[in-house]
Amino acid sequence: MNLLRFPLKKMFASLFVLGMLLLIAPSFVQAEHEGKVQILLLGDSTTEGSIPRQLKPKGPHLERVLEQLLEAEGDLPACHVVNSSLSGEYIRRLFDSGRYDRDAAKLPGLDYIFIRYGLNDRVRREKFTENFPKDFHELLARLRKDHPNALLIPMTVIPFANEEDSKKINDLVFEVAKKEKLDVFDIYPRYAAELKKGHNMLNYRRYPLAKVPEKYHALVKPFVSGDRVVVMANELDPILGDLPGWYGDRHPNLAGYNVIADETAKYLAKLLRDKKSKK
């Protein structure tokens, strides 16, 4: 018996198995859901929707509604939407907190990345008009490096701040996109148009309990979260709507997020059909 043959056989067998694993491995590290178009939503509280998730945990929320709307078109590929957004976040914090590396850098198989920042940047980033564009360019560079096959889609902010401040943010987004040779998904006009149907129709109510007259405390008890009264829509408006600041919180409620989902689905459906027609 050749004593050298057996170890060689074992070695070749091991190499064969290793080779097979390398061939198989990519199927496990592509998209999170095999065979589906992968879409990432990256942004702040107006993308995350933490309060609607608290009030209605089972949703459906922005990412699931977007999936359902795309599926309802009937002629589009299956899609999986990842919502990686955080309340209070701005681009610099996304990097400095480590959240980008932890939650966005290594997501597998991304095809489309929607980026919506600016509201918190305007308030919290020093020298906003100078640093926000720099931060945005840095984010786009990182995304290109980490997700070279993804189409990057900068978005405008929704009408959260007043019209003048919103325009300052959105003008910077358009400037960045122009330099990066990217198309902007302008969500602002659709959302503003929907607000004309009812100025407070798309935002939830979040109001300090201490400012609610004590005689109404029993009434609002089912809506109390911590030290605030939190209501998805207009249930308490007829009773408390005259309180100063009752409508002050402009974050989207589920109706607001459905506006965002619907407009995003229309924008994305065109991209998907254009891509299909070029094949």
Side-chain angles (χ1 to χ4, degrees):
M1 179 178 179
N2 190 334
L3 295 178
L4 293 177
R5 289 180 63 190
F6 183 65
L8 284 173
K9 284 182 178 180
K10 287 186 67 177
M11 181 181 72
F12 285 127
S14 298
L15 288 173
F16 176 78
V17 172
L18 178 60
M20 290 301 294
L21 287 173
L22 289 173
L23 288 172
I24 294 171
S27 67
F28 292 100
V29 297
Q30 292 299 308
E32 287 186 27
H33 289 255
E34 189 66 16
K36 293 186 178 182
V37 173
Q38 298 296 300
I39 302 157
L40 173 64
L41 309 179
L42 200 57
D44 54 30
S45 59
T46 63
T47 304
E48 180 193 20
S50 61
I51 294 299
R53 292 175 197 274
Q54 172 189 320
L55 296 178
K56 194 175 180 182
K58 294 183 179 180
H61 297 287
L62 176 59
E63 60 278 4
R64 180 59 184 143
V65 174
L66 180 52
E67 290 174 348
Q68 291 172 331
L69 290 173
L70 292 170
E71 183 179 0
E73 290 295 302
D75 65 328
L76 302 177
C79 296
H80 176 229
V81 183
V82 178
N83 190 340
S84 184
S85 305
L86 187 65
S87 297
E89 190 168 75
Y90 50 100
I91 296 176
R92 190 73 260 150
R93 178 181 284 182
L94 171 67
F95 287 130
D96 294 347
S97 67
R99 200 179 79 78
Y100 176 86
D101 292 320
R102 184 175 64 252
D103 296 343
K106 296 178 176 63
L107 287 173
L110 294 183
D111 299 291
Y112 299 92
I113 303 176
F114 290 86
I115 307 147
R116 185 150 57 87
Y117 285 105
L119 293 171
N120 294 315
D121 305 74
R122 183 182 68 84
V123 176
R124 301 181 179 183
R125 185 68 164 114
E126 67 278 4
K127 298 181 180 179
F128 166 71
T129 55
E130 175 184 341
N131 286 323
F132 176 60
K134 288 181 180 179
D135 294 342
F136 213 130
H137 283 297
E138 182 180 350
L139 176 56
L140 293 170
R142 287 291 305 275
L143 288 169
R144 280 198 177 98
K145 176 178 177 292
D146 296 327
H147 306 287
N149 297 319
L151 178 63
L152 307 183
I153 306 171
M155 290 181 66
T156 54
V157 299
I158 61 171
F160 184 91
N162 60 56
E163 187 173 354
E164 182 181 356
D165 288 336
S166 296
K167 186 176 186 303
K168 288 179 182 177
I169 298 169
N170 290 336
D171 284 349
L172 292 174
V173 173
F174 275 102
E175 287 178 17
V176 168
K178 184 177 181 180
K179 290 179 181 179
E180 297 276 354
K181 297 181 180 179
L182 295 172
D183 291 329
V184 174
F185 171 30
D186 191 2
I187 190 73
Y188 189 95
R190 167 71 189 280
Y191 204 98
E194 294 291 339
L195 285 175
K196 292 179 181 178
K197 300 174 183 177
H199 183 63
N200 298 305
M201 185 176 70
L202 303 181
N203 57 287
Y204 55 74
R205 287 55 159 149
R206 185 165 52 168
Y207 196 77
L209 178 62
K211 292 185 177 182
V212 175
E214 190 172 349
K215 66 180 181 179
Y216 296 127
H217 280 203
L219 173 71
V220 303
K221 186 176 180 180
F223 302 95
V224 173
S225 176
D227 63 349
R228 294 177 181 269
V229 177
V230 184
V231 189
M232 185 72 79
N234 62 356
E235 298 99 303
L236 297 179
D237 290 1
I239 300 168
L240 304 179
D242 290 333
L243 294 176
W246 175 252
Y247 301 103
D249 198 316
R250 305 307 299 174
H251 285 89
N253 56 18
L254 282 179
Y257 284 106
N258 284 345
V259 170
I260 296 170
D262 185 58
E263 195 67 10
T264 305
K266 291 176 181 176
Y267 185 88
L268 193 51
K270 184 179 185 304
L271 292 179
L272 291 168
R273 289 188 179 110
D274 288 346
K275 185 175 182 179
K276 184 178 179 181
S277 67
K278 293 175 182 177
K279 288 186 177 180

